[in-house]
């Protein structure tokens, strides 16, 4: 299991995500990678757009953490992250950007 996602994307089929009042598992095409913006490191998590209520709960969250899984194996477990941005990418996936607290 990796301690930091790095700049190469991690592809997963399941994510277990906990954010403030939300605890959810999502399946589908999931990608995570480390990015650098203005000299600061962030983790970018791209999720399939799920239930609108789950999306709104995530948009209101101040912090989150997650585990990435592929084929029943845990690939990455994040530390607690502070939400910095939530947006949609060009194909409609929900992208959550965060940094360690």
């Amino acid at each position: 299991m990796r301690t930091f996602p790095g700049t190469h994307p991690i592809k997963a089929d399941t994510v277990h995500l906990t954010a403030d009042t939300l605890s959810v598992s999502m399946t589908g095409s999931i990608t995570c990678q480390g990015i650098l913006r203005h000299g600061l490191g962030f983790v970018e998590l791209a999720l399939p757009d799920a239930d609108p209520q789950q999306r709104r709960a995530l948009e209101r969250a101040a912090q989150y953490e997650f585990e990435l899984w592929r084929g029943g194996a845990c690939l990455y477990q994040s530390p607690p992250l502070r939400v910095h941005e939530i947006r949609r990418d060009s194909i409609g996936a929900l992208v959550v950007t965060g940094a360690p607290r």
Side-chain angles (χ1 to χ4, degrees):
M1 187 177 335
R2 300 178 186 186
T3 57
F4 181 74
T7 57
H8 297 290
I10 300 171
K11 303 284 186 178
D13 56 27
T14 304
V15 64
H16 302 295
L17 186 134
T18 304
D20 293 350
T21 61
L22 175 69
S23 182
V24 65
S25 291
M26 296 179 183
T27 58
S29 179
I30 300 158
T31 305
C32 172
Q33 75 180 70
I35 59 170
L36 190 63
R37 286 189 190 159
H38 310 292
L40 301 173
F42 294 91
V43 174
E44 196 168 80
L45 178 64
L47 303 165
D49 189 19
D51 179 298
Q53 185 176 0
Q54 292 172 350
R55 185 179 67 244
R56 284 189 294 275
L58 186 55
E59 288 170 342
R60 289 189 299 266
Q63 73 173 21
Y64 67 104
E65 55 190 84
F66 62 92
E67 293 179 349
L68 291 177
W69 293 78
R70 184 176 56 225
C74 186
L75 303 174
Y76 176 72
Q77 183 175 1
S78 78
L81 301 166
R82 184 176 56 240
V83 176
H84 281 271
E85 176 186 30
I86 297 179
R87 63 178 170 77
R88 293 203 182 278
D89 70 5
S90 61
I91 60 169
L94 188 63
V95 179
V96 183
T97 304
R101 300 191 70 194

